[in-house]
Amino acid sequence: MKNANIANILRDIAFLLEMEEGEDNSNIVFKIRSYKRASDVIANLSSNVEEVYATHGLKGLMQIPSVGKAIALKIEEYLTKGKIQYLDELKSKTDIDIDGFYGLEGIGPKTIKIVYDKLGIRDLSGLEKAASEGKLRSIRGFSEKKEEIILKKIQLFKKGRSRYLLGEVYPLIKQIETRLLKFNGVKNAVVAGSFRRMKETVGDIDFVVACNDVEKVMDYFVSMPEIDEVFGKGSTKTFVRLNNGMDADLLVVPEESFGSALQYFTGSKEHGVAMRKIALAKGLHLNEWGIFDNSQHRIAGSTEEEVYQTLDLEWIPPEMREYLGEIELAKKGAKGLPKLIEYNDLKGDLQVHSNSTDGTMSIEEMALAANEKFGLQYIVITDHTKSLKLTNGLDEKQLLDQANRIAELNDRIRRVPDKTERQRINEVDLSASTPRTKSSNFRILSGAEVNIMRDGSLDIPNNVLDKLGIVGAAIHSNFSQPIEVQTDRLIKAARNPSVDIIFHPTGRRINKREGYPVNIEKLVDIANDTNTILEIDAHYDRLDLKDEYVRMAIQKDVKLVIDSDAHHPVHFGFLKFGIGQARRGWAEKSNILNTMPADELLRCLK
Ligand code: DGT
Ligand code: CA
Ligand code: CA
Ligand code: ZN
């Protein structure tokens, strides 16, 4: 699967263009944006770009959303020649180690260019050194404060770099899993470890495969194009480094051990240790090969269900296996496990952006994809509001105009989409892993992601907000105030009768920034008192609320929703990460309001 490579190449081009062409030339700005968008789409695409090209050629590439002719030609060049001349030319103009800077939030190509021009800094460690030695402040536009921020960002970035965001690696890893599953002689193949537990970040990848011809699978595995380096190859395990920098383990076991091997390598370690103690107390022995009695007879191991059952436990969903009380609940005669929300339970998405602000597609296109590709029944368009100038936030009049347009669209949406609209979302499979039937009476609801100001007030008055379908409020600025101040801002928003939902309540961006400090217990209590919904933002770098806060909210009976925060149709695919996070927080279907049809949901609002 070359998608990740292609996405990186397009991202490289955007980065280099932005660095080289510092001018505010709108032509270049447009071009940079197109490359960024195409890179984002391809990174999150579930279909294989290489296959699209093999079957449909250049035309096929141009059907990929946000890929126009110029970019399609670059992709073709890469697929046929293994490199892109344009990129090589851009790269030859600089000797900055751009790879080392990727993912460093808030320090963009322009800053990197400036510190290179002024101080000759070429890589991340050079930047860190200069910042810690106080050398950046001599550059015009830099200050001691800015230097401090840069240093903090580098440190957070370095800390996070050894772990990957789940959503960042998900498409590639799923692709490898499917490939293993299809390989001749393979009876079963599952990605175990933290990936299967849907942890927000993953250290390494653990593939567990059932096959009787161990050697054959291992040879196949190490021959995959994504494998950069083979560290070791034993009789049952292979250790490799993937070309995205991640390490992966492959364990191959006979069919009768698949369940116990999967159970072992899914972890968590603490959960596994507790399981083995239970086995010992029953006079049994549990390891990756099975459950054995005193005379070394295997009495279970082919399925996980069998393993749990033999220990008198209910089967425990992987997302719950963190040794946080799940084993007690799963014991025979105990209360039983919660019945977690399922991956196909969502009916709508309450945070969706359009190209009226910083989204990249029209309301119609977002709706069409949500309906036809992701099987949703409704979406709420929640564009940013006026005080967020960077996103071209909407003012009162624009919000109301948009709401009127949405009302008209709902009448029109039952018509057949026109040819261009259809082309842009068709051909390429954008679907979530479970294909679902589309809804015949899809609805778009009007809304807003209204900005919470420094003092907790909103930038749009209530009489306007009340004309919208659903209103979410969120903090986007003034992060560095003390916890009491931040909590009060959120509480004031929650007390506002026009605010239905608090979006991404803690503002974190995993591995990028910590978010603002919030007294989450207090927020949960106020949400409960005021019938305000808290959001689980499913974007894989937010996952906000996170698992432990989800659990806290549920214990207090606060209602939650899971939203994609989509700025492009492919982003609806992020919903699964939000559901994973909700399951890690032990959420049931009834805890998540957007598992309900739109009418019912609207009746639950304050
Ligand atoms: P990661 O890779 O850091 O995101 O986290 P995991 O949970 O995937 O951990 P990893 O890859 O080190 O090991 C995969 C699973 O294998 C782990 O969740 C449980 C099991 N495991 C690994 N080492 C041990 C161990 O020393 N004892 C026990 N009981 N299980 C282990
Ligand atoms: Ca792992
Ligand atoms: Ca591992
Ligand atoms: Zn936002």
Side-chain angles (χ1 to χ4, degrees):
M1 171 125 155
K2 296 218 170 99
N3 289 21
N5 298 3
I6 296 169
N8 288 352
I9 283 173
L10 298 176
R11 181 198 63 181
D12 283 354
I13 294 177
F15 195 95
L16 288 162
L17 279 174
E18 202 169 343
M19 209 167 73
E20 291 305 320
E21 315 285 343
E23 303 311 307
D24 282 354
N25 171 342
S26 63
N27 231 337
I28 295 288
V29 172
F30 182 76
K31 203 163 153 190
I32 293 168
R33 208 175 297 153
S34 317
Y35 275 103
K36 278 188 186 162
R37 193 176 303 166
S39 166
D40 175 42
V41 166
I42 289 172
N44 294 301
L45 209 60
S46 58
S47 47
N48 187 333
V49 175
E50 209 174 358
E51 275 165 26
V52 170
Y53 180 67
T55 36
H56 301 288
L58 189 66
K59 277 225 172 71
L61 295 179
M62 287 167 65
Q63 302 284 4
I64 298 172
S66 295
V67 173
K69 184 146 187 211
I71 293 182
L73 283 167
K74 301 273 186 311
I75 298 174
E76 178 176 53
E77 189 183 342
Y78 174 71
L79 289 173
T80 52
K81 298 188 183 141
K83 58 189 210 129
I84 296 174
Q85 200 190 344
Y86 182 55
L87 176 62
D88 291 346
E89 278 166 19
L90 285 171
K91 270 193 169 158
S92 70
K93 287 190 204 160
T94 175
D95 59 349
I96 299 178
D97 167 33
I98 58 169
D99 285 348
F101 286 109
Y102 279 126
L104 186 54
E105 182 79 354
I107 303 176
K110 293 201 178 92
T111 307
I112 291 165
K113 179 78 160 65
I114 294 171
V115 298
Y116 174 75
D117 288 345
K118 302 283 175 199
L119 301 173
I121 292 169
R122 299 202 335 243
D123 54 22
L124 188 69
S125 61
L127 183 63
E128 187 180 11
K129 190 159 173 283
S132 61
E133 288 169 359
K135 287 187 179 146
L136 298 182
R137 66 188 74 159
S138 65
I139 304 173
R140 206 154 78 100
F142 284 65
S143 61
E144 212 176 316
K145 177 99 194 281
K146 188 163 176 184
E147 211 170 57
E148 205 177 287
I149 293 171
I150 288 179
L151 198 59
K152 220 165 136 199
K153 282 187 167 152
I154 294 175
Q155 278 153 0
L156 187 68
F157 175 64
K158 277 170 66 182
K159 202 173 88 197
R161 211 161 34 171
S162 59
R163 297 190 67 80
Y164 289 71
L165 302 188
L166 176 66
E168 215 168 45
V169 300
Y170 194 92
L172 174 70
I173 301 306
K174 272 289 174 192
Q175 192 83 19
I176 298 178
E177 181 189 60
T178 310
R179 222 188 278 150
L180 284 168
L181 205 50
K182 282 190 195 147
F183 187 66
N184 202 4
V186 166
K187 310 284 187 207
N188 215 334
V190 173
V191 187
S194 48
F195 186 94
R196 184 164 179 239
R197 302 200 311 280
M198 294 294 276
K199 239 183 117 158
E200 62 197 34
T201 63
V202 291
D204 74 351
I205 298 296
D206 309 276
F207 294 99
V208 179
V209 169
C211 182
N212 294 325
D213 195 341
V214 180
E215 196 65 18
K216 224 175 86 189
V217 185
M218 288 193 172
D219 286 345
Y220 175 62
F221 182 69
V222 299
S223 76
M224 289 184 185
E226 294 84 1
I227 310 295
D228 241 14
E229 201 181 334
V230 180
F231 296 130
K233 219 169 138 204
S235 57
T236 58
K237 262 187 134 181
T238 296
F239 307 94
V240 301
R241 163 111 2 124
L242 303 177
N243 59 6
N244 64 1
M246 267 194 123
D247 290 345
D249 303 343
L250 168 71
L251 176 79
V252 187
V253 295
E255 243 181 313
E256 63 265 25
S257 292
F258 183 72
S260 44
L262 185 59
Q263 201 282 324
Y264 182 95
F265 285 100
T266 296
S268 66
K269 191 172 158 187
E270 293 73 19
H271 178 94
V273 169
M275 293 275 289
R276 261 174 295 164
K277 274 197 192 136
I278 293 176
L280 284 177
K282 290 186 191 299
L284 302 170
H285 186 74
L286 166 67
N287 61 27
E288 53 268 58
W289 305 102
I291 301 184
F292 300 86
D293 64 15
N294 270 333
S295 36
Q296 293 304 309
H297 284 124
R298 186 203 320 269
I299 59 166
S302 65
T303 67
E304 268 194 338
E305 284 78 1
E306 192 182 274
V307 170
Y308 281 92
Q309 202 181 7
T310 307
L311 301 183
D312 292 321
L313 296 169
E314 200 184 321
W315 177 82
I316 301 176
E319 298 89 335
M320 289 185 76
R321 299 184 196 171
E322 298 291 349
Y323 197 50
L324 294 169
E326 74 280 7
I327 291 184
E328 283 307 311
L329 287 183
K331 281 184 179 160
K332 219 182 211 164
K335 188 163 164 244
L337 297 165
K339 200 177 166 309
L340 302 185
I341 176 178
E342 297 292 339
Y343 284 94
N344 59 5
D345 273 342
L346 293 184
K347 295 202 169 63
D349 189 341
L350 311 190
Q351 194 193 153
V352 176
H353 297 262
S354 81
N355 58 5
S356 304
T357 57
D358 63 344
T360 52
M361 299 285 244
S362 69
I363 297 173
E364 293 91 319
E365 286 162 333
M366 295 303 281
L368 202 58
N371 184 8
E372 297 199 359
K373 298 292 177 181
F374 293 89
L376 296 176
Q377 298 174 6
Y378 54 95
I379 55 171
V380 185
I381 299 296
T382 52
D383 276 316
H384 291 285
T385 50
K386 63 182 182 187
S387 59
L388 267 191
K389 300 225 162 51
L390 266 178
T391 67
N392 288 320
L394 306 182
D395 64 18
E396 291 80 356
K397 176 164 184 310
Q398 289 168 318
L399 275 173
L400 293 175
D401 284 351
Q402 190 185 60
N404 287 334
R405 208 147 50 79
I406 287 173
E408 283 165 26
L409 271 176
N410 276 323
D411 297 333
R412 268 209 295 138
I413 206 160
R414 284 165 195 92
R415 69 162 169 69
V416 184
D418 75 29
K419 203 164 148 247
T420 5
E421 285 165 356
R422 176 154 301 288
Q423 263 186 3
R424 289 181 72 168
I425 67 147
N426 253 356
E427 284 291 313
V428 170
D429 169 30
L430 296 172
S431 61
S433 38
T434 13
R436 290 190 280 152
T437 45
K438 61 178 187 175
S439 156
S440 57
N441 52 22
F442 188 85
R443 260 177 91 178
I444 311 170
L445 299 166
S446 60
E449 177 174 5
V450 60
N451 199 25
I452 301 176
M453 308 303 282
R454 196 189 179 94
D455 64 355
S457 64
L458 305 177
D459 63 345
I460 302 290
N462 285 16
N463 64 349
V464 173
L465 297 178
D466 288 343
K467 298 206 171 73
L468 307 177
I470 296 185
V471 173
I475 289 183
H476 296 96
S477 49
N478 298 113
F479 276 37
S480 58
Q481 297 180 79
I483 184 164
E484 301 76 33
V485 178
Q486 298 295 19
T487 309
D488 283 345
R489 285 170 86 186
L490 290 169
I491 289 174
K492 196 163 166 193
R495 288 218 166 103
N496 186 320
S498 302
V499 171
D500 301 302
I501 314 172
I502 302 290
F503 284 165
H504 44 74
T506 73
R508 72 165 180 166
R509 304 279 300 279
I510 305 168
N511 285 353
K512 290 180 182 154
R513 68 172 191 224
E514 262 147 15
Y516 39 81
V518 187
N519 181 336
I520 199 85
E521 279 107 350
K522 213 162 156 188
L523 177 64
V524 163
D525 285 338
I526 301 287
N528 198 7
D529 289 350
T530 56
N531 192 26
T532 305
I533 301 165
L534 298 183
E535 181 188 58
I536 302 170
D537 189 309
H539 193 295
Y540 57 74
D541 78 2
R542 289 190 182 271
L543 296 173
D544 179 11
L545 298 177
K546 65 175 170 184
D547 44 15
E548 69 174 289
Y549 297 159
V550 170
R551 214 171 146 190
M552 194 189 280
I554 287 171
Q555 276 162 359
K556 299 224 172 151
D557 221 21
V558 167
K559 293 288 184 259
L560 303 170
V561 292
I562 300 171
D563 301 333
S564 68
D565 201 349
H567 287 66
H568 189 285
V570 282
H571 297 161
F572 290 119
F574 298 162
L575 286 170
K576 57 180 167 292
F577 306 122
I579 299 171
Q581 196 71 187
R583 286 168 62 88
R584 289 178 57 81
W586 298 20
E588 302 194 3
K589 189 175 172 182
S590 61
N591 299 122
I592 309 292
L593 289 186
N594 52 333
T595 59
M596 301 193 292
D599 291 335
E600 275 177 53
L601 169 81
L602 289 168
R603 280 199 291 274
C604 292
L605 304 179
K606 57 170 103 155

